[in-house]
Amino acid sequence: MRVLTLFIPIALMTLATTTKAEILPEAEIGIKIPLVKQPTTRPMTVAHIPGLKRYYIADGGLAPMGSETEAPYSKSMIHAYNENSQYINSSRPGYDNRSLYYNTNTYQLETVTYNISSDLGFAPNSGIFSIHLTETGELKDSSDEISQFNPAFGDSATTPSYDAENNRYFAKQARSNKVLIVDPKNREKVGEISLEIEKAGALHDDISDSFVAFTAIRGEELALLDVDHKAVLVFDINGKYVGRSELPKSMKLRANNHYSGLGYANQMFFVYHEPEGEFGTYYGFKIQKE
């Protein structure tokens, strides 16, 4: 199933990549999405489809071991909310989701799974897949395979960000400042970025372990969460530190924020705030002013 092309004019993506934004010294809350269902495993990442006015939040977690009666099929779910933070529905396509994003080239909601690199050995349902939707944006349990495992992604737990204009991924490596650039047509990395995290006043233990956002804002393309200092650090495409946007100091970030509950969608940096609400709340922060 494909979403009609009129939902996302490609010109909007082109404009975003040619406009330099101003980093907001203090991040502004753009949306709060209180989860109404307990995450099946751990809450991972967020996608947005403007034409459907839907947000999609993916859980991530390993599949059970296969047996004679049960296939190695992940219980992780994906959940849909509208732009008023109201719950729509959930689906179980069967993947240990790491990245979830709307691909403006294919007009599909796509997921990148855990261990896409086969770093821990080959496992079923590893790769990149498109998640089926109804015409109005409700999630289905069905999906299609886009590609199988690819060693170019490096670390097994990486949460890659997608650059639609250049059809490439940015895959942050665990416990480091390294980001691999991946062309999905290649089996080896096409580039590597070293983020200047020390110039930002942080160490690798302070920052999100496996996720860096691609913002599509020229000169401020990459952003990651400094968990310990409660700030979003912004870098250019070469890894040069260019600024920071402070998060509310009242937020109680926890160890899981190093590994999960992060995303970038609808020009907002998403952070999962576990202590708020029955099942936690996703905050969408505006960190750049265009």
Side-chain angles (χ1 to χ4, degrees):
M1 176 266 168
R2 297 193 173 202
V3 182
L4 295 178
T5 59
L6 57 86
F7 288 144
I8 296 287
I10 295 299
L12 292 180
M13 178 62 70
T14 303
L15 177 62
T17 59
T18 57
T19 304
K20 184 174 178 62
E22 175 189 347
I23 300 173
L24 296 172
E26 295 184 359
E28 299 176 355
I29 300 172
I31 190 171
K32 291 171 63 175
I33 305 178
L35 301 188
V36 301
K37 293 190 69 172
Q38 184 174 7
T40 40
T41 42
R42 64 173 64 183
M44 289 301 301
T45 190
V46 181
H48 178 253
I49 302 181
L52 296 173
K53 297 184 178 180
R54 296 284 188 269
Y55 287 96
Y56 300 91
I57 298 174
D59 297 339
L62 290 173
M65 295 296 291
S67 66
E68 293 182 358
T69 58
E70 186 174 7
Y73 185 78
S74 176
K75 295 184 168 116
S76 295
M77 301 185 77
I78 301 175
H79 314 277
Y81 292 79
N82 66 19
E83 291 183 339
N84 294 318
S85 302
Q86 296 172 324
Y87 172 73
I88 304 299
N89 79 318
S90 300
S91 71
R92 184 190 170 192
Y95 303 114
D96 180 359
N97 306 288
R98 282 304 181 263
S99 297
L100 189 71
Y101 57 93
Y102 178 59
N103 189 331
T104 55
N105 297 316
T106 62
Y107 308 104
Q108 297 179 138
L109 184 67
E110 298 179 358
T111 183
V112 179
T113 72
Y114 176 76
N115 200 33
I116 183 177
S117 64
S118 71
D119 184 42
L120 297 179
F122 176 76
N125 293 335
S126 296
I128 304 175
F129 301 86
S130 63
I131 306 300
H132 294 173
L133 304 171
T134 68
E135 291 185 359
T136 54
E138 284 77 17
L139 290 155
K140 297 182 177 181
D141 289 329
S142 56
S143 61
D144 287 320
E145 180 183 279
I146 296 174
S147 67
Q148 297 183 344
F149 67 94
N150 185 338
F153 284 90
D155 186 75
S156 60
T158 188
T159 304
S161 294
Y162 183 62
D163 172 4
E165 184 179 17
N166 298 291
N167 189 33
R168 61 184 178 178
Y169 295 86
F170 296 94
K172 186 180 180 300
Q173 303 302 287
R175 296 186 60 79
S176 80
N177 66 334
K178 301 296 183 184
V179 178
L180 303 185
I181 305 173
V182 180
D183 180 337
K185 297 178 182 178
N186 294 322
R187 308 290 288 177
E188 296 181 357
K189 66 182 181 182
V190 297
E192 181 177 302
I193 301 168
S194 295
L195 302 175
E196 293 182 342
I197 59 171
E198 291 187 3
K199 288 189 177 180
L203 300 174
H204 68 79
D205 287 337
D206 299 331
I207 63 176
S208 53
D209 205 41
S210 302
F211 174 75
V212 64
F214 176 71
T215 70
I217 302 297
R218 181 161 295 173
E220 302 167 1
E221 290 90 348
L222 302 175
L224 60 77
L225 177 66
D226 182 341
V227 181
D228 287 17
H229 300 104
K230 297 181 182 177
V232 179
L233 310 180
V234 182
F235 305 83
D236 70 12
I237 199 65
N238 297 310
K240 180 181 177 181
Y241 173 66
V242 294
R244 65 194 294 120
S245 188
E246 303 286 344
L247 301 183
K249 298 307 179 185
S250 59
M251 293 191 77
K252 295 180 174 63
L253 302 185
R254 298 181 175 179
N256 281 343
N257 290 110
H258 284 276
Y259 312 107
S260 60
L262 301 171
Y264 190 88
N266 198 19
Q267 299 179 320
M268 289 182 285
F269 194 102
F270 279 83
V271 179
Y272 177 63
H273 193 220
E274 186 178 353
E276 184 173 341
E278 185 177 3
F279 304 118
T281 298
Y282 269 89
Y283 276 71
F285 288 104
K286 297 178 180 179
I287 62 171
Q288 291 151 313
K289 180 180 180 180
E290 295 187 25

PDB file of all heavy atoms in Angstrom, residues 14-41:
ATOM      1  N   THR A  14      13.167  19.764  -0.097  1.00  0.00           N
ATOM      2  CA  THR A  14      14.257  20.524  -0.697  1.00  0.00           C
ATOM      3  C   THR A  14      14.457  21.837   0.031  1.00  0.00           C
ATOM      4  O   THR A  14      15.580  22.265   0.309  1.00  0.00           O
ATOM      5  CB  THR A  14      13.952  20.788  -2.187  1.00  0.00           C
ATOM      6  OG1 THR A  14      13.752  19.545  -2.839  1.00  0.00           O
ATOM      7  CG2 THR A  14      15.094  21.534  -2.842  1.00  0.00           C
ATOM      8  N   LEU A  15      13.348  22.513   0.384  1.00  0.00           N
ATOM      9  CA  LEU A  15      13.446  23.776   1.103  1.00  0.00           C
ATOM     10  C   LEU A  15      14.136  23.585   2.442  1.00  0.00           C
ATOM     11  O   LEU A  15      14.989  24.379   2.838  1.00  0.00           O
ATOM     12  CB  LEU A  15      12.042  24.361   1.315  1.00  0.00           C
ATOM     13  CG  LEU A  15      11.961  25.665   2.118  1.00  0.00           C
ATOM     14  CD1 LEU A  15      12.712  26.765   1.416  1.00  0.00           C
ATOM     15  CD2 LEU A  15      10.513  26.045   2.359  1.00  0.00           C
ATOM     16  N   ALA A  16      13.793  22.479   3.138  1.00  0.00           N
ATOM     17  CA  ALA A  16      14.359  22.253   4.462  1.00  0.00           C
ATOM     18  C   ALA A  16      15.862  22.104   4.415  1.00  0.00           C
ATOM     19  O   ALA A  16      16.565  22.500   5.343  1.00  0.00           O
ATOM     20  CB  ALA A  16      13.732  21.003   5.089  1.00  0.00           C
ATOM     21  N   THR A  17      16.388  21.535   3.329  1.00  0.00           N
ATOM     22  CA  THR A  17      17.812  21.286   3.269  1.00  0.00           C
ATOM     23  C   THR A  17      18.593  22.497   2.774  1.00  0.00           C
ATOM     24  O   THR A  17      19.812  22.458   2.725  1.00  0.00           O
ATOM     25  CB  THR A  17      18.104  20.093   2.347  1.00  0.00           C
ATOM     26  OG1 THR A  17      17.597  20.381   1.044  1.00  0.00           O
ATOM     27  CG2 THR A  17      17.458  18.825   2.871  1.00  0.00           C
ATOM     28  N   THR A  18      17.912  23.568   2.409  1.00  0.00           N
ATOM     29  CA  THR A  18      18.618  24.752   1.920  1.00  0.00           C
ATOM     30  C   THR A  18      18.461  25.941   2.853  1.00  0.00           C
ATOM     31  O   THR A  18      18.919  27.030   2.548  1.00  0.00           O
ATOM     32  CB  THR A  18      18.103  25.139   0.525  1.00  0.00           C
ATOM     33  OG1 THR A  18      16.694  25.367   0.591  1.00  0.00           O
ATOM     34  CG2 THR A  18      18.377  24.034  -0.483  1.00  0.00           C
ATOM     35  N   THR A  19      17.809  25.740   3.981  1.00  0.00           N
ATOM     36  CA  THR A  19      17.552  26.827   4.904  1.00  0.00           C
ATOM     37  C   THR A  19      18.306  26.601   6.206  1.00  0.00           C
ATOM     38  O   THR A  19      18.163  25.566   6.824  1.00  0.00           O
ATOM     39  CB  THR A  19      16.036  26.935   5.206  1.00  0.00           C
ATOM     40  OG1 THR A  19      15.334  27.089   3.979  1.00  0.00           O
ATOM     41  CG2 THR A  19      15.754  28.115   6.112  1.00  0.00           C
ATOM     42  N   LYS A  20      19.103  27.575   6.592  1.00  0.00           N
ATOM     43  CA  LYS A  20      19.800  27.472   7.870  1.00  0.00           C
ATOM     44  C   LYS A  20      18.879  27.997   8.959  1.00  0.00           C
ATOM     45  O   LYS A  20      18.256  29.041   8.828  1.00  0.00           O
ATOM     46  CB  LYS A  20      21.096  28.271   7.840  1.00  0.00           C
ATOM     47  CG  LYS A  20      21.916  28.121   9.114  1.00  0.00           C
ATOM     48  CD  LYS A  20      23.252  28.817   8.989  1.00  0.00           C
ATOM     49  CE  LYS A  20      24.063  28.727  10.273  1.00  0.00           C
ATOM     50  NZ  LYS A  20      24.380  27.342  10.636  1.00  0.00           N
ATOM     51  N   ALA A  21      18.772  27.237  10.038  1.00  0.00           N
ATOM     52  CA  ALA A  21      17.889  27.597  11.131  1.00  0.00           C
ATOM     53  C   ALA A  21      18.699  28.165  12.291  1.00  0.00           C
ATOM     54  O   ALA A  21      19.922  28.046  12.334  1.00  0.00           O
ATOM     55  CB  ALA A  21      17.096  26.377  11.590  1.00  0.00           C
ATOM     56  N   GLU A  22      17.993  28.762  13.206  1.00  0.00           N
ATOM     57  CA  GLU A  22      18.595  29.251  14.442  1.00  0.00           C
ATOM     58  C   GLU A  22      18.320  28.234  15.539  1.00  0.00           C
ATOM     59  O   GLU A  22      17.177  27.816  15.737  1.00  0.00           O
ATOM     60  CB  GLU A  22      17.973  30.601  14.816  1.00  0.00           C
ATOM     61  CG  GLU A  22      18.431  31.146  16.161  1.00  0.00           C
ATOM     62  CD  GLU A  22      17.644  32.361  16.583  1.00  0.00           C
ATOM     63  OE1 GLU A  22      16.919  32.916  15.738  1.00  0.00           O
ATOM     64  OE2 GLU A  22      17.743  32.745  17.761  1.00  0.00           O
ATOM     65  N   ILE A  23      19.366  27.811  16.234  1.00  0.00           N
ATOM     66  CA  ILE A  23      19.192  26.870  17.330  1.00  0.00           C
ATOM     67  C   ILE A  23      18.561  27.599  18.508  1.00  0.00           C
ATOM     68  O   ILE A  23      19.046  28.657  18.930  1.00  0.00           O
ATOM     69  CB  ILE A  23      20.533  26.244  17.738  1.00  0.00           C
ATOM     70  CG1 ILE A  23      21.149  25.499  16.564  1.00  0.00           C
ATOM     71  CG2 ILE A  23      20.353  25.298  18.921  1.00  0.00           C
ATOM     72  CD1 ILE A  23      22.554  24.999  16.814  1.00  0.00           C
ATOM     73  N   LEU A  24      17.480  27.038  19.031  1.00  0.00           N
ATOM     74  CA  LEU A  24      16.812  27.646  20.178  1.00  0.00           C
ATOM     75  C   LEU A  24      17.612  27.349  21.442  1.00  0.00           C
ATOM     76  O   LEU A  24      17.865  26.178  21.749  1.00  0.00           O
ATOM     77  CB  LEU A  24      15.389  27.094  20.316  1.00  0.00           C
ATOM     78  CG  LEU A  24      14.422  27.405  19.179  1.00  0.00           C
ATOM     79  CD1 LEU A  24      13.123  26.639  19.360  1.00  0.00           C
ATOM     80  CD2 LEU A  24      14.143  28.911  19.098  1.00  0.00           C
ATOM     81  N   PRO A  25      18.004  28.363  22.208  1.00  0.00           N
ATOM     82  CA  PRO A  25      18.758  28.105  23.441  1.00  0.00           C
ATOM     83  C   PRO A  25      18.001  27.201  24.407  1.00  0.00           C
ATOM     84  O   PRO A  25      18.602  26.376  25.100  1.00  0.00           O
ATOM     85  CB  PRO A  25      18.974  29.507  24.027  1.00  0.00           C
ATOM     86  CG  PRO A  25      18.834  30.435  22.867  1.00  0.00           C
ATOM     87  CD  PRO A  25      17.832  29.793  21.950  1.00  0.00           C
ATOM     88  N   GLU A  26      16.687  27.352  24.440  1.00  0.00           N
ATOM     89  CA  GLU A  26      15.837  26.493  25.256  1.00  0.00           C
ATOM     90  C   GLU A  26      14.806  25.838  24.343  1.00  0.00           C
ATOM     91  O   GLU A  26      14.077  26.523  23.622  1.00  0.00           O
ATOM     92  CB  GLU A  26      15.143  27.285  26.354  1.00  0.00           C
ATOM     93  CG  GLU A  26      16.110  27.873  27.377  1.00  0.00           C
ATOM     94  CD  GLU A  26      15.392  28.575  28.508  1.00  0.00           C
ATOM     95  OE1 GLU A  26      14.136  28.618  28.488  1.00  0.00           O
ATOM     96  OE2 GLU A  26      16.068  29.076  29.422  1.00  0.00           O
ATOM     97  N   ALA A  27      14.784  24.521  24.361  1.00  0.00           N
ATOM     98  CA  ALA A  27      13.863  23.786  23.499  1.00  0.00           C
ATOM     99  C   ALA A  27      12.412  24.114  23.859  1.00  0.00           C
ATOM    100  O   ALA A  27      12.078  24.301  25.036  1.00  0.00           O
ATOM    101  CB  ALA A  27      14.107  22.288  23.640  1.00  0.00           C
ATOM    102  N   GLU A  28      11.580  24.195  22.831  1.00  0.00           N
ATOM    103  CA  GLU A  28      10.163  24.485  23.024  1.00  0.00           C
ATOM    104  C   GLU A  28       9.338  23.225  22.792  1.00  0.00           C
ATOM    105  O   GLU A  28       9.582  22.479  21.837  1.00  0.00           O
ATOM    106  CB  GLU A  28       9.717  25.582  22.058  1.00  0.00           C
ATOM    107  CG  GLU A  28      10.451  26.900  22.248  1.00  0.00           C
ATOM    108  CD  GLU A  28      10.056  27.934  21.213  1.00  0.00           C
ATOM    109  OE1 GLU A  28       9.279  27.581  20.289  1.00  0.00           O
ATOM    110  OE2 GLU A  28      10.521  29.087  21.314  1.00  0.00           O
ATOM    111  N   ILE A  29       8.373  22.988  23.653  1.00  0.00           N
ATOM    112  CA  ILE A  29       7.524  21.806  23.519  1.00  0.00           C
ATOM    113  C   ILE A  29       6.549  22.023  22.369  1.00  0.00           C
ATOM    114  O   ILE A  29       5.750  22.956  22.381  1.00  0.00           O
ATOM    115  CB  ILE A  29       6.757  21.519  24.821  1.00  0.00           C
ATOM    116  CG1 ILE A  29       7.742  21.262  25.973  1.00  0.00           C
ATOM    117  CG2 ILE A  29       5.823  20.320  24.630  1.00  0.00           C
ATOM    118  CD1 ILE A  29       7.069  21.152  27.328  1.00  0.00           C
ATOM    119  N   GLY A  30       6.629  21.146  21.358  1.00  0.00           N
ATOM    120  CA  GLY A  30       5.726  21.228  20.223  1.00  0.00           C
ATOM    121  C   GLY A  30       4.523  20.324  20.368  1.00  0.00           C
ATOM    122  O   GLY A  30       3.427  20.643  19.911  1.00  0.00           O
ATOM    123  N   ILE A  31       4.720  19.167  21.021  1.00  0.00           N
ATOM    124  CA  ILE A  31       3.629  18.221  21.231  1.00  0.00           C
ATOM    125  C   ILE A  31       4.002  17.297  22.374  1.00  0.00           C
ATOM    126  O   ILE A  31       5.184  17.052  22.638  1.00  0.00           O
ATOM    127  CB  ILE A  31       3.340  17.393  19.951  1.00  0.00           C
ATOM    128  CG1 ILE A  31       2.046  16.593  20.107  1.00  0.00           C
ATOM    129  CG2 ILE A  31       4.516  16.486  19.605  1.00  0.00           C
ATOM    130  CD1 ILE A  31       1.584  15.926  18.823  1.00  0.00           C
ATOM    131  N   LYS A  32       2.986  16.844  23.098  1.00  0.00           N
ATOM    132  CA  LYS A  32       3.150  15.806  24.110  1.00  0.00           C
ATOM    133  C   LYS A  32       2.187  14.675  23.760  1.00  0.00           C
ATOM    134  O   LYS A  32       1.000  14.917  23.527  1.00  0.00           O
ATOM    135  CB  LYS A  32       2.850  16.347  25.510  1.00  0.00           C
ATOM    136  CG  LYS A  32       3.873  17.350  26.023  1.00  0.00           C
ATOM    137  CD  LYS A  32       3.409  18.016  27.311  1.00  0.00           C
ATOM    138  CE  LYS A  32       3.245  17.035  28.438  1.00  0.00           C
ATOM    139  NZ  LYS A  32       2.915  17.721  29.723  1.00  0.00           N
ATOM    140  N   ILE A  33       2.706  13.456  23.713  1.00  0.00           N
ATOM    141  CA  ILE A  33       1.881  12.293  23.387  1.00  0.00           C
ATOM    142  C   ILE A  33       1.932  11.324  24.568  1.00  0.00           C
ATOM    143  O   ILE A  33       2.865  10.519  24.694  1.00  0.00           O
ATOM    144  CB  ILE A  33       2.361  11.591  22.106  1.00  0.00           C
ATOM    145  CG1 ILE A  33       2.418  12.577  20.935  1.00  0.00           C
ATOM    146  CG2 ILE A  33       1.440  10.413  21.768  1.00  0.00           C
ATOM    147  CD1 ILE A  33       2.938  11.960  19.635  1.00  0.00           C
ATOM    148  N   PRO A  34       0.940  11.381  25.457  1.00  0.00           N
ATOM    149  CA  PRO A  34       0.884  10.404  26.554  1.00  0.00           C
ATOM    150  C   PRO A  34       0.499   9.026  25.993  1.00  0.00           C
ATOM    151  O   PRO A  34      -0.495   8.901  25.278  1.00  0.00           O
ATOM    152  CB  PRO A  34      -0.204  10.952  27.476  1.00  0.00           C
ATOM    153  CG  PRO A  34      -0.454  12.366  27.017  1.00  0.00           C
ATOM    154  CD  PRO A  34      -0.128  12.383  25.566  1.00  0.00           C
ATOM    155  N   LEU A  35       1.286   8.024  26.303  1.00  0.00           N
ATOM    156  CA  LEU A  35       0.976   6.686  25.799  1.00  0.00           C
ATOM    157  C   LEU A  35      -0.240   6.134  26.528  1.00  0.00           C
ATOM    158  O   LEU A  35      -0.345   6.227  27.751  1.00  0.00           O
ATOM    159  CB  LEU A  35       2.173   5.757  25.994  1.00  0.00           C
ATOM    160  CG  LEU A  35       3.482   6.174  25.305  1.00  0.00           C
ATOM    161  CD1 LEU A  35       4.515   5.057  25.417  1.00  0.00           C
ATOM    162  CD2 LEU A  35       3.259   6.543  23.849  1.00  0.00           C
ATOM    163  N   VAL A  36      -1.153   5.549  25.767  1.00  0.00           N
ATOM    164  CA  VAL A  36      -2.367   4.990  26.360  1.00  0.00           C
ATOM    165  C   VAL A  36      -2.313   3.474  26.427  1.00  0.00           C
ATOM    166  O   VAL A  36      -3.200   2.848  27.010  1.00  0.00           O
ATOM    167  CB  VAL A  36      -3.626   5.426  25.577  1.00  0.00           C
ATOM    168  CG1 VAL A  36      -3.747   6.933  25.547  1.00  0.00           C
ATOM    169  CG2 VAL A  36      -3.606   4.870  24.159  1.00  0.00           C
ATOM    170  N   LYS A  37      -1.273   2.892  25.834  1.00  0.00           N
ATOM    171  CA  LYS A  37      -1.060   1.448  25.925  1.00  0.00           C
ATOM    172  C   LYS A  37       0.341   1.210  26.455  1.00  0.00           C
ATOM    173  O   LYS A  37       1.282   1.904  26.080  1.00  0.00           O
ATOM    174  CB  LYS A  37      -1.214   0.769  24.555  1.00  0.00           C
ATOM    175  CG  LYS A  37      -2.610   0.807  23.988  1.00  0.00           C
ATOM    176  CD  LYS A  37      -2.727  -0.095  22.762  1.00  0.00           C
ATOM    177  CE  LYS A  37      -2.618  -1.562  23.143  1.00  0.00           C
ATOM    178  NZ  LYS A  37      -2.920  -2.451  21.992  1.00  0.00           N
ATOM    179  N   GLN A  38       0.472   0.225  27.311  1.00  0.00           N
ATOM    180  CA  GLN A  38       1.792  -0.108  27.820  1.00  0.00           C
ATOM    181  C   GLN A  38       2.663  -0.621  26.683  1.00  0.00           C
ATOM    182  O   GLN A  38       2.233  -1.466  25.894  1.00  0.00           O
ATOM    183  CB  GLN A  38       1.690  -1.172  28.907  1.00  0.00           C
ATOM    184  CG  GLN A  38       3.018  -1.512  29.555  1.00  0.00           C
ATOM    185  CD  GLN A  38       2.850  -2.458  30.728  1.00  0.00           C
ATOM    186  OE1 GLN A  38       1.751  -2.953  30.979  1.00  0.00           O
ATOM    187  NE2 GLN A  38       3.918  -2.697  31.461  1.00  0.00           N
ATOM    188  N   PRO A  39       3.890  -0.112  26.554  1.00  0.00           N
ATOM    189  CA  PRO A  39       4.767  -0.610  25.491  1.00  0.00           C
ATOM    190  C   PRO A  39       4.950  -2.116  25.605  1.00  0.00           C
ATOM    191  O   PRO A  39       5.111  -2.650  26.705  1.00  0.00           O
ATOM    192  CB  PRO A  39       6.083   0.136  25.746  1.00  0.00           C
ATOM    193  CG  PRO A  39       5.683   1.386  26.459  1.00  0.00           C
ATOM    194  CD  PRO A  39       4.515   0.991  27.318  1.00  0.00           C
ATOM    195  N   THR A  40       4.896  -2.795  24.465  1.00  0.00           N
ATOM    196  CA  THR A  40       5.021  -4.251  24.478  1.00  0.00           C
ATOM    197  C   THR A  40       6.408  -4.676  24.935  1.00  0.00           C
ATOM    198  O   THR A  40       6.571  -5.736  25.539  1.00  0.00           O
ATOM    199  CB  THR A  40       4.745  -4.815  23.078  1.00  0.00           C
ATOM    200  OG1 THR A  40       5.338  -3.955  22.092  1.00  0.00           O
ATOM    201  CG2 THR A  40       3.262  -4.906  22.802  1.00  0.00           C
ATOM    202  N   THR A  41       7.398  -3.872  24.640  1.00  0.00           N
ATOM    203  CA  THR A  41       8.757  -4.166  25.075  1.00  0.00           C
ATOM    204  C   THR A  41       9.361  -2.871  25.591  1.00  0.00           C
ATOM    205  O   THR A  41       9.193  -2.521  26.736  1.00  0.00           O
ATOM    206  CB  THR A  41       9.587  -4.747  23.914  1.00  0.00           C
ATOM    207  OG1 THR A  41       9.309  -4.016  22.706  1.00  0.00           O
ATOM    208  CG2 THR A  41       9.241  -6.206  23.672  1.00  0.00           C
TER     209      THR A  41
END
